[in-house]
Amino acid sequence: MPVKGQNRTFLLDAKRLPRHVAVIMDGNGRWARKRGLPRMEGHREGMNSVRSIIRKCGELGISYLTLYAFSTENWKRPGREVRFLMQLLIQYLKKELTELDRQGVRIAMLGSRERVPTEVLGSIDQALAQTKNNRGLKLNLAFNYGGRREVLDAVEVFLKKRPRPVLSESSFASCLYTAGLPDPDLLIRTSGEMRISNFLLWQLAYAEIVVSPVLWPDFRERELLRCLREFQKRERRFGGVKSVHA
Ligand code: FPP
């Protein structure tokens, strides 16, 4: 473990990076308010952080990145903000898809398609189709995602299976939106809040949680690296006693 100097500056160990990083991108509203701007401007600037974090994760060789872009609870926001967030995803994909494709990013959506406008679903589906053969970073956009909803959807999928599988952690997990994906090793939540907010309730069972004080629109490569270093300082035991490093 490379630890340098008296103040124990911790360098990133490329061999012990998390395989799957999940992020709750919080603080867009506060970022805007601090600048006397409408909340939407925080979301718009947040898009630049999304670009920068995806690029860095790809460069580092992280395999999976899951971003919480819109929760099932976010429908409770004012209609204008909801519409803005929907349009922002469309704009984001329109603007970034070519570059994401060039970087080898494979996009997937985690969430329910219910209530999501057809136009939004259309651009998500196009992004999925265009990047489906890419071999780089697997980017999961959690959009209209709710952890409890996911569990209920999984129960329905499970009950419809014929022949009915034996109920086990793995047979159930294969019915979740995240079927086939490894669980996140690291959950980053920005803006200092210490909540899970209905995100990946099943999958985060043994994730290391790092809460960054930085508001999402200010969360760029440097803070990502700090969070990854924090992760590498943790000792992961998965409920056991033996010291197992990430
Ligand atoms: C939480 O901040 C953020 C959201 C509900 C939306 C996240 C969306 C983005 C980062 C925009 C771009 C993303 C993509 C993938 C296009 P908040 O509004 O709850 O902030 P607050 O807690 O300070 O009010």
Side-chain angles (χ1 to χ4, degrees):
M1 194 184 296
V3 178
K4 204 181 78 183
Q6 275 206 318
N7 60 358
R8 292 169 64 84
T9 310
F10 197 90
L11 303 174
L12 204 56
D13 180 349
K15 289 189 218 71
R16 291 199 305 110
L17 285 167
R19 187 146 74 119
H20 185 171
V21 177
V23 187
I24 302 179
M25 310 181 286
D26 195 14
N28 294 352
R30 274 161 285 170
W31 183 94
R33 200 166 57 235
K34 269 172 64 180
R35 287 162 179 76
L37 298 169
R39 294 176 56 77
M40 322 292 172
E41 290 309 313
H43 297 315
R44 210 192 297 280
E45 187 58 27
M47 220 162 63
N48 295 326
S49 299
V50 167
R51 179 186 309 113
S52 144
I53 296 314
I54 292 173
R55 193 190 322 108
K56 194 66 195 172
C57 285
E59 279 170 17
L60 288 169
I62 287 170
S63 303
Y64 300 86
L65 174 66
T66 300
L67 300 177
Y68 204 4
F70 190 87
S71 76
T72 44
E73 288 69 39
N74 286 155
W75 292 107
K76 294 183 209 147
R77 295 190 176 207
R80 209 169 138 250
E81 185 172 346
V82 169
R83 284 191 295 279
F84 183 87
L85 286 167
M86 298 288 151
Q87 284 307 315
L88 200 62
L89 182 67
I90 295 176
Q91 263 183 37
Y92 171 77
L93 292 172
K94 201 166 169 181
K95 205 162 137 217
E96 306 284 331
L97 190 55
T98 310
E99 175 57 19
L100 290 171
D101 197 16
R102 195 198 61 76
Q103 288 173 25
V105 173
R106 192 175 83 200
I107 302 175
M109 176 189 169
L110 302 182
S112 162
R113 295 173 72 94
E114 226 175 81
R115 281 182 85 175
V116 180
T118 323
E119 194 193 356
V120 180
L121 291 175
S123 50
I124 293 173
D125 288 343
Q126 194 206 327
L128 265 52
Q130 190 171 327
T131 63
K132 70 175 196 299
N133 296 321
N134 288 347
R135 307 299 288 265
L137 176 75
K138 264 72 78 193
L139 170 67
N140 305 307
L141 295 174
F143 197 82
N144 197 22
Y145 176 88
R148 289 181 173 178
R149 173 65 197 260
E150 179 184 28
V151 170
L152 293 182
D153 283 352
V155 170
E156 269 183 359
V157 172
F158 186 88
L159 293 177
K160 278 188 195 140
K161 285 204 169 179
R162 294 288 180 273
R164 174 86 48 84
V166 175
L167 182 59
S168 67
E169 289 190 9
S170 66
S171 67
F172 186 72
S174 72
C175 300
L176 293 164
Y177 303 146
T178 51
L181 305 182
D183 287 344
D185 305 291
L186 168 63
L187 169 70
I188 298 173
R189 178 163 189 151
T190 64
S191 92
E193 306 283 352
M194 306 216 185
R195 284 190 295 277
I196 299 287
S197 298
N198 203 16
F199 192 38
L200 301 174
L201 296 179
W202 172 281
Q203 300 85 341
L204 290 174
Y206 283 104
E208 293 297 326
I209 302 178
V210 173
V211 174
S212 162
V214 175
L215 303 177
W216 176 253
D218 289 329
F219 190 97
R220 301 292 160 96
E221 291 185 5
R222 196 185 157 87
E223 184 60 8
L224 172 71
L225 294 176
R226 197 195 63 74
C227 293
L228 292 171
R229 282 196 293 273
E230 173 79 38
F231 168 79
Q232 292 190 335
K233 287 184 210 166
R234 305 277 177 89
E235 186 190 1
R236 303 188 76 194
R237 291 195 297 274
F238 300 94
V241 287
K242 197 164 156 273
S243 178
V244 182
H245 283 283

